[in-house]
Amino acid sequence: MHRVLITDPLSNHGIEQLLQAEDVEVIQKTDLTPEQLLEEVKEADALLVRSQTQVTAEVIAAGKRLQAIGRAGVGVDNIDIPAATSRGIVVVNAPDGNTVSTAEHTFAMLISLARNIPQGYRSTVQGEWNRKQFVGVELNKKTLGIVGLGRIGTELSKRARAFHMKVLAFDPYLTQERAQKIGVTQATLDEVIAQSDFITVHTPLTKETRHLINRDAFNRMKDGVRVINCARGGIIDEEALAEAIRKGKVAGAALDVFETEPPGHHPLFDFPQVIATPHLGASTREAQENVAIDVAGEVLHILRGEPFKNAVNLPSIPAELQEKLRPYQTMAEKLGSFASQAAEGALQEVTVSFSGELAEWDTAPLTRIILKGVLSHYLSDVNYVNAPHLAKERGVKVTEQKISKRHGFTHLIRIHIATDTGEIAITGALLNGLGPRIVRIDEYSVDVEPAGHQLLIQHHDRPGAIGRVGTILGDHDVNIAAMQVGRRDIGGRAIMMLHVDKAVPEALLEALEQLDEIHRVTAIDL
Ligand SMILES: NC(=O)C1=CN([C@@H]2O[C@H](COP(=O)(O)OP(=O)(O)OC[C@H]3O[C@@H](n4cnc5c(N)ncnc54)[C@H](O)[C@@H]3O)[C@@H](O)[C@H]2O)C=CC1
Ligand SMILES: O=C(O)CCC(=O)C(=O)O
């Protein structure tokens, strides 16, 4: 039974699939103190939150059983992602479900700013009739500067264009072609700052975007500019904004988010030009249902070991590439596991080479799988999420190579492992009708199915060696299912690969090591 702990209010309709699942127990506890959260998370296999719960490194460390953290929304700044990654916990979000709601909220802020609607409302319900004070401006023919043309920025641009605004957009990942398709003018940040009548930010809060709109930016803006932040507090420097309003540079500001939330009585609220909402961008019935459905589904997939798509701490793989790589995944992990079991000494370097058709694709997901296979031999609790992190943490150098040569195969995966005492290279291929095969161990050609119990014997090619090995296995009641011998020169170094029917007992390994012609015996379990 999987235990899913939900610590922020989520739409009941959205989490219905969790409530209905027979293999899931849902525990809903909101408004927990930090101490209560540390206690509750101990038994949870998954934690589901919105933006309120602070999922700190301490919470993650307390969640010894955690496999997944789901964020019902986009921003994951309330979750310590590096801490989750290092513990192999998948963090998933729901990036699409609240896009339209947040774009609509931003647009509502834009109109409210232009026409002083909140100020006019407050004055009117207080019994005043102050028509002169609240004269606004039209959006028609004005320039809207959008910083961050992702999902929300793009949706917003469509609404602005419908109101006949000119849209300037700055986003480092925006291409000219995409800008044209969306109908916006691609611009630099400087151009957005200097030419816009309204500026709105739609980026995540990162090192680069913190105080992106700062004192210097305000100084370069048009007089009477209006600014909006419905993304994250801190992208606009609040002190610099206050100064710019005081100087008369900024005619209005609309804020849905704050550097500290809740902001209490923020000094900016003393300016009549500032309008505010309490982080309401995604607060619609539709958005909350969408994000809860999306994230609950993702968490269910993770807990059940099924494919999922919106992991924040795993690179996303296009569906088409996923399809192409799927047949190679099991083999990749087995090859990694085989290579690490066959290697001797402390792991220092893993070099993965892809050749043939594989060399034409993005094989990074396979390298990650191979690394998991390799590291699982040395470390416990390795998974696809933390494998690269654990390798880096332990100083293991990981290199991926693409080679065009095929050596008679349509593709090959070669894993070379270097340790402090030696090296080994395992090469595998997926053979038509036969499935995965190890086709080379170091320089020896073999044909070994990477499955079950194997014995790798490195020996000297001498008459009788194979017979003596067979006899010792028989003496220990270990049956040989298949056997391969590889050598380069007559009487030189050689290998035997034996597929045996049961796990190899320690006593058998010791007996084999007594034979003069044997250099090394390794039991491999796949
Ligand atoms: N107020 C609210 O309730 C909500 C707020 N948000 C916030 O809105 C943000 C944007 O959401 P989406 O559009 O869904 O995300 P997104 O990931 O689709 O778009 C973000 C865009 O910002 C761009 N970007 C990143 N760094 C940049 C930089 N230095 N300068 C300019 N552009 C940069 C990215 O290239 C990307 O295109 C989220 O990160 C979240 O923090 C999201 C949903 C609701
Ligand atoms: O209403 C919420 O949960 C916050 C939404 C949000 O800020 C986000 O999705 O990034």
Side-chain angles (χ1 to χ4, degrees):
M1 182 67 78
H2 308 295
R3 297 189 99 203
V4 177
L5 174 65
I6 302 179
T7 56
D8 286 329
L10 294 194
S11 143
N12 266 341
H13 179 56
I15 58 166
E16 209 166 274
Q17 54 191 315
L18 288 176
L19 297 168
Q20 300 297 331
E22 285 182 357
D23 54 343
V24 172
E25 182 191 354
V26 177
I27 298 141
Q28 283 179 280
K29 292 202 173 169
T30 52
D31 296 320
L32 294 176
T33 62
E35 294 72 30
Q36 288 168 329
L37 176 59
L38 287 177
E39 198 49 41
E40 292 293 338
V41 79
K42 275 184 189 161
E43 299 299 321
D45 298 296
L47 174 63
L48 274 189
V49 300
R50 271 176 72 178
S51 54
Q52 218 164 304
T53 301
Q54 296 305 310
V55 189
T56 59
E58 203 186 349
V59 172
I60 289 166
K64 294 265 182 284
R65 283 171 45 170
L66 276 183
Q67 295 173 47
I69 300 171
R71 158 71 164 108
V74 184
V76 284
D77 30 356
N78 55 324
I79 301 169
D80 190 328
I81 305 289
T85 304
S86 71
R87 287 181 176 266
I89 300 167
V90 187
V91 180
V92 279
N93 68 351
D96 305 309
N98 62 24
T99 301
V100 167
S101 288
T102 311
E104 286 184 358
H105 191 78
T106 311
F107 202 75
M109 290 294 228
L110 181 66
I111 297 186
S112 300
L113 262 188
R115 303 304 296 269
N116 300 308
I117 288 170
Q119 297 90 332
Y121 162 77
R122 192 163 48 203
S123 157
T124 309
V125 298
Q126 281 169 357
E128 298 166 358
W129 194 250
N130 215 337
R131 299 180 63 218
K132 273 194 199 139
Q133 196 183 339
F134 300 120
V135 173
V137 290
E138 283 186 359
L139 299 184
N140 186 38
K141 296 191 180 145
K142 296 292 185 314
T143 299
L144 172 67
I146 301 183
V147 180
L149 201 77
R151 287 174 292 258
I152 296 168
T154 303
E155 278 302 313
L156 177 71
S157 74
K158 294 182 199 164
R159 285 147 182 81
R161 289 185 55 236
F163 272 64
H164 301 276
M165 298 186 85
K166 175 181 178 190
V167 180
L168 290 185
F170 167 67
D171 189 309
Y173 302 104
L174 178 66
T175 59
Q176 180 69 38
E177 193 191 353
R178 186 161 165 264
Q180 257 170 11
K181 202 167 149 204
I182 298 170
V184 302
T185 305
Q186 189 187 25
T188 62
L189 180 61
D190 281 349
E191 287 164 345
V192 166
I193 297 284
Q195 296 173 21
S196 303
D197 301 298
F198 294 84
I199 297 175
T200 180
V201 292
H202 296 284
T203 68
L205 178 67
T206 61
K207 277 206 306 290
E208 288 75 33
T209 62
R210 177 174 291 282
H211 292 183
L212 189 66
I213 308 297
N214 53 20
R215 183 166 290 122
D216 177 49
F218 280 117
N219 286 338
R220 287 182 287 119
M221 287 179 195
K222 279 185 174 177
D223 289 341
V225 66
R226 289 171 171 85
V227 295
I228 304 170
N229 188 357
C230 287
R232 277 295 176 270
I235 300 172
I236 296 181
D237 177 347
E238 291 174 352
E239 267 184 47
L241 171 61
E243 189 183 306
I245 297 173
R246 224 175 280 121
K247 283 179 162 165
K249 170 65 99 178
V250 169
L255 305 173
D256 184 46
V257 287
F258 301 87
E259 293 195 18
T260 305
E261 290 183 11
H265 184 82
H266 197 290
L268 278 167
F269 299 161
D270 293 335
F271 295 108
Q273 299 93 328
V274 173
I275 63 173
T277 46
H279 203 144
L280 289 184
S283 286
T284 61
R285 214 179 46 239
E286 292 86 348
Q288 285 317 305
E289 256 182 46
N290 291 341
V291 293
I293 289 172
D294 291 351
V295 85
E298 288 281 82
V299 163
L300 257 186
H301 288 315
I302 297 169
L303 293 176
R304 290 174 174 169
E306 297 163 356
F308 51 92
K309 56 181 185 357
N310 290 322
V312 172
N313 52 353
L314 274 174
S316 73
I317 309 168
E320 195 192 339
L321 179 65
Q322 257 182 49
E323 267 317 294
K324 284 181 179 170
L325 297 183
R326 185 161 294 129
Y328 298 94
Q329 290 177 359
T330 310
M331 173 173 80
E333 186 162 348
K334 297 261 187 210
L335 290 179
S337 174
F338 189 104
S340 58
Q341 293 183 61
E344 204 178 9
L347 183 63
Q348 289 183 332
E349 252 185 87
V350 181
T351 308
V352 184
S353 315
F354 296 97
S355 56
E357 64 183 18
L358 281 172
E360 287 153 28
W361 304 338
D362 173 5
T363 43
L366 286 183
T367 300
R368 183 181 275 266
I369 290 172
I370 289 168
L371 202 54
K372 184 210 166 215
V374 170
L375 293 180
S376 297
H377 177 54
Y378 302 91
L379 307 166
S380 53
D381 300 326
V382 185
N383 62 22
Y384 306 119
V385 180
N386 62 7
H389 169 83
L390 292 175
K392 196 168 171 201
E393 197 178 72
R394 280 158 179 79
V396 176
K397 188 173 168 212
V398 181
T399 312
E400 185 182 300
Q401 295 177 342
K402 300 278 175 70
I403 296 165
S404 51
K405 275 191 198 157
R406 293 160 186 247
H407 300 283
F409 293 91
T410 57
H411 64 272
L412 286 172
I413 300 177
R414 180 178 187 268
I415 303 169
H416 176 269
I417 287 190
T419 68
D420 57 345
T421 56
E423 57 185 333
I424 191 155
I426 305 296
T427 307
L430 210 51
L431 302 188
N432 242 344
L434 292 173
R437 286 289 185 276
I438 295 172
V439 297
R440 207 169 298 134
I441 298 175
D442 285 335
E443 69 274 35
Y444 307 107
S445 291
V446 291
D447 176 8
V448 173
E449 190 189 348
H453 307 293
Q454 313 265 353
L455 255 184
L456 169 62
I457 300 178
Q458 288 154 309
H459 67 291
H460 225 86
D461 179 35
R462 271 192 212 142
I466 296 174
R468 281 189 282 280
V469 167
T471 307
I472 293 179
L473 262 79
D475 291 346
H476 287 81
D477 195 30
V478 174
N479 192 41
I480 301 173
M483 184 170 181
Q484 296 271 316
V485 184
R487 67 172 187 199
R488 254 201 344 209
D489 308 302
I490 298 173
R493 289 177 83 89
I495 62 162
M496 283 181 231
M497 269 306 312
L498 288 83
H499 192 161
V500 293
D501 285 342
K502 63 179 181 188
V504 175
E506 196 56 37
L508 168 56
L509 293 179
E510 283 166 16
L512 288 170
E513 275 161 2
Q514 300 302 316
L515 293 178
D516 272 356
E517 54 270 64
I518 287 188
H519 307 302
R520 188 164 169 246
V521 188
T522 317
I524 294 168
D525 291 306
L526 295 170

